[in-house]
Amino acid sequence: MRRVLLCILVLSAFFPAGAQIVNRLKVDDAVFQRYAYGRMQMYNPANLALADSIYQAGVLRESFRYKCLGLSLEFPVRFAQGDYARMDECIAEIKELVKGHADARPFYFAVIHEYCQYLIHIGRASDAMLEARDMERRAAKLKMPAGIMYSHRIVGLIQSYRTNSWLAIRNFEEAALYCKEAKAEQELPNLYILIAQEYVKMGEFEKAEEYCVKAEQYQDFFPSIRIKARMTRAYLYNAEKDWERFWTTYDALESDPLYAVQTDSDSRYEMDVAWLRSKGFFEQALSKADSLGTARDRHALKHGIYAELGNFNNAYGELSSLMAEKDSIYIKVQNEDMAILDAEMNNAKLRAEAERLKHQNQMTILLGFLVMFGIAFFAILLSQWQLRQNLDEMRRRNAEVIRARRAFQKAMDAKEAENANKIKILQNRTTNPMIDYEAFLNS
C-alpha cells in the first residue's frame, strides 16, 4: 500500500488535464496545440519524435521557446524509460535557455517542479530538496508566489517520501495558500488529493474523505482529478475494510479509460492485489505481488498476505526482508540529510565568500574613488596655486609698467615745462638783439 500511495502522490501532478496545460511561453497556437497533445500522453514514447520536431523548429527559427517546449516533452519519457542521465541533460539545457528571459520564469518553475517529482520517485530526494530551496529563494526574490507554491509542494512530497505525514501536510497546506495568492487555483485539487493521501496513511479517514470531496469539486474542469480521487478513496475504503464501497470504486476505476492512461503498472498491480485479497483470492494475490518492480513493496504485500493465511514462517521471512529494505531506506535518507546539510553549508560558505568579495570590491571601489578624488583635489589645489602665482607675477609686472609709465610721464611733464619756459622767454625778448642775447645768456 505504501508503494501505491507513493505512486499516487507522484502521479498526482504528473498527469495534467487539458485545462491545466498552460501556454506559459506564449508560443503560436499551432505549436501549442501539438505540445498540449504531447502533454496529454506525456509518457508515450511517440512523444520523443514530437519533442524532436518542436525542438528542431526552434533551431531553425532560433527560438528558445520552441526548444524549451521540445525538451519539456522529452524528459518525462526519459524518466519513464529510466534514462535519468538524459533527463538531467534536458533540464540543464532548459535552465540555460531560460536565462535572461523574465517572461519564461513561470514555465521554469513549473518544469523544475515536475523534474523534482521525478527525482523523488527515483530516490534522489536530496537533489529535489536543493532544487526546491533554490526555487523558493528565486521566487521570493522575484516576488512570484507560484514558485514558492511549487517549492512547498516539493518539500511536502519529500516529507511524504520520508513518512513524515504531518510535515508533508503542513507543506501542502502552505502550497495551497500560495496557490491562491498566485491565482493558480487549478493546482488546488491536486494539493487536496495529496493531503487526503497523507490522512489515509495516518488512519484519519474522515479528514481524508473531506479532502477528497474538496478535490472532486474540480473534476468537471480537470478530468484527471476523478482518477486521483477514486484511487485515494479506494485505498481509504480498503484501509477501513469497507469492502462494498471498495469494490464499487475499484470497478469504476477499471471501467474508466483514463485509469490505464494515467497510472503506471505498479500502481495498478497493487490495486489489483488489494482487490484479490478483499475477495479472498490469496494465491492470485501472491502471484500478482511478484509482478511489482520494487522489492520493498513486494515484501510488504506478501508479508500481509502470508500473515492473513496463517503461514507465519513465510510471513516472518517476508517481514525480515522488508525490515532490511526499510533499514537501507533509512540509511539512505540519513545520507540524503547529510548531503543536504553539506550542500547547504557549502552554499552558506559560498554566500559568505560572495559577501566578502562584494564587500572587498566595494572597499576597493571606495578606495579607488578616494584616491581619484585625492588626485583631483590635489590637481585643483596645484592649479589654484599656480594661478595665484601667475596672478601675482602679472600684478608685479603691471605695477612695474605703471611705475615706468609714471616716471616717463613725469619726465615728459618736466621737459614740457622747460620748453614752455624757453618759449615764454623768446616771446618776451626786446628789439635790441644784443640785450636780448645777454638776457638770454643770463636767463
Side-chain angles (χ1 to χ4, degrees):
M1 180 176 175
R2 161 70 179 160
R3 162 69 180 172
V4 176
L5 289 175
L6 177 60
C7 286
I8 299 173
L9 193 70
V10 175
L11 290 169
S12 63
F14 286 177
F15 299 104
Q20 292 172 287
I21 302 172
V22 181
N23 191 359
R24 293 186 174 91
L25 288 178
K26 304 295 186 293
V27 297
D28 57 85
D29 289 341
V31 172
F32 178 69
Q33 289 299 325
R34 296 175 65 201
Y35 168 74
Y37 173 76
R39 292 299 294 178
M40 290 297 294
Q41 50 169 4
M42 58 196 301
Y43 297 117
N44 190 335
N47 265 9
L48 293 180
L50 176 59
D52 185 63
S53 67
I54 294 177
Y55 185 91
Q56 293 305 322
V59 173
L60 291 174
R61 297 192 182 192
E62 297 183 350
S63 169
F64 84 94
R65 302 174 192 278
Y66 284 20
K67 291 181 181 178
C68 284
L69 289 181
L71 292 167
S72 68
L73 281 180
E74 179 182 353
F75 81 84
V77 181
R78 299 302 185 186
F79 160 75
Q81 294 176 337
D83 189 353
Y84 306 134
R86 176 56 189 163
M87 177 182 74
D88 293 340
E89 289 173 1
C90 290
I91 294 300
E93 187 172 354
I94 288 175
K95 288 181 177 180
E96 285 298 316
L97 287 170
V98 300
K99 280 184 178 178
H101 298 282
D103 62 338
R105 287 165 184 161
F107 171 83
Y108 168 81
F109 288 138
V111 167
I112 296 302
H113 163 251
E114 183 179 351
Y115 173 59
C116 285
Q117 293 177 98
Y118 297 145
L119 292 178
I120 296 167
H121 194 65
I122 62 178
R124 290 167 57 184
S126 58
D127 292 338
M129 180 68 83
L130 292 175
E131 290 282 2
R133 292 186 175 176
D134 178 67
M135 187 191 305
E136 183 177 19
R137 282 192 292 269
R138 288 173 182 265
K141 183 177 180 181
L142 297 169
K143 296 182 180 179
M144 296 184 67
I148 302 175
M149 178 267 291
Y150 284 133
S151 68
H152 277 289
R153 182 167 167 175
I154 291 300
V155 174
L157 291 172
I158 292 170
Q159 297 299 346
S160 178
Y161 168 79
R162 296 177 174 179
T163 66
N164 297 325
S165 290
W166 273 120
L167 289 176
I169 289 172
R170 190 167 72 183
N171 276 281
F172 292 145
E173 288 175 342
E174 283 289 319
L177 292 176
Y178 282 105
C179 185
K180 294 173 183 176
E181 184 178 343
K183 295 180 173 56
E185 286 80 1
Q186 71 272 11
E187 297 292 343
L188 281 175
N190 285 322
L191 289 167
Y192 292 152
I193 290 294
L194 293 174
I195 294 172
Q197 290 160 6
E198 294 305 316
Y199 279 123
V200 170
K201 288 189 284 185
M202 295 168 63
E204 297 192 24
F205 303 129
E206 288 186 7
K207 294 290 291 184
E209 180 74 28
E210 175 188 335
Y211 277 94
C212 280
V213 171
K214 285 185 177 182
E216 285 175 331
Q217 294 174 1
Y218 294 81
Q219 65 182 357
D220 290 341
F221 302 98
F222 311 126
S224 63
I225 293 298
R226 182 177 68 249
I227 300 301
K228 298 168 192 174
R230 280 179 180 169
M231 291 184 75
T232 304
R233 285 181 183 279
Y235 282 97
L236 188 158
Y237 300 145
N238 182 61
E240 290 181 314
K241 299 187 184 302
D242 186 345
W243 303 128
E244 291 297 331
R245 287 204 286 179
F246 171 67
W247 295 332
T248 301
T249 306
Y250 176 83
D251 291 340
L253 280 170
E254 286 291 317
S255 62
D256 195 319
L258 287 179
Y259 179 56
V261 176
Q262 298 193 351
T263 55
D264 67 329
S265 57
D266 274 6
S267 296
R268 295 194 299 275
Y269 287 153
E270 291 205 27
M271 186 70 74
D272 293 342
V273 169
W275 184 84
L276 290 167
R277 285 183 65 181
S278 70
K279 291 288 188 177
F281 303 141
F282 298 111
E283 293 301 324
Q284 294 94 321
L286 286 170
S287 177
K288 183 69 75 171
D290 283 329
S291 302
L292 290 170
T294 305
R296 181 187 179 195
D297 302 317
R298 287 197 304 271
H299 295 313
L301 285 177
K302 294 177 75 173
H303 160 257
I305 296 169
Y306 282 128
E308 195 167 352
L309 286 170
N311 188 340
F312 298 113
N313 286 332
N314 286 345
Y316 178 76
E318 295 293 340
L319 181 60
S320 297
S321 299
L322 175 62
M323 295 309 295
E325 287 290 331
K326 285 187 175 181
D327 288 342
S328 66
I329 292 293
Y330 177 78
I331 292 170
K332 183 178 180 181
V333 169
Q334 298 306 310
N335 290 338
E336 288 172 351
D337 288 337
M338 291 302 295
I340 291 172
L341 181 60
D342 289 343
E344 289 186 341
M345 289 177 65
N346 289 334
N347 287 341
K349 289 178 181 177
L350 289 173
R351 286 194 294 270
E353 179 66 12
E355 286 296 324
R356 187 187 68 79
L357 291 174
K358 180 180 178 181
H359 179 70
Q360 181 177 331
N361 289 338
Q362 289 175 341
M363 292 302 296
T364 302
I365 292 171
L366 179 61
L367 181 61
F369 175 77
L370 290 175
V371 170
M372 293 299 295
F373 178 78
I375 293 173
F377 185 70
F378 176 77
I380 292 171
L381 289 178
L382 180 61
S383 176
Q384 291 292 327
W385 179 80
Q386 289 177 338
L387 181 60
R388 282 196 296 271
Q389 292 295 316
N390 292 338
L391 288 173
D392 290 343
E393 179 66 17
M394 290 176 65
R395 290 191 186 101
R396 185 183 64 78
R397 290 180 180 178
N398 287 338
E400 289 179 355
V401 169
I402 290 171
R403 283 196 298 270
R405 286 181 177 176
R406 286 176 178 173
F408 176 77
Q409 186 65 41
K410 187 176 180 180
M412 290 298 293
D413 290 344
K415 186 66 175 176
E416 186 177 352
E418 181 182 356
N419 290 338
N421 188 42
K422 288 180 178 179
I423 291 171
K424 184 178 179 181
I425 292 172
L426 288 174
Q427 289 175 344
N428 295 326
R429 64 187 177 183
T430 62
T431 57
N432 188 340
M434 291 301 296
I435 295 173
D436 291 340
Y437 178 72
E438 289 178 359
F440 176 76
L441 290 177
N442 293 328
S443 64

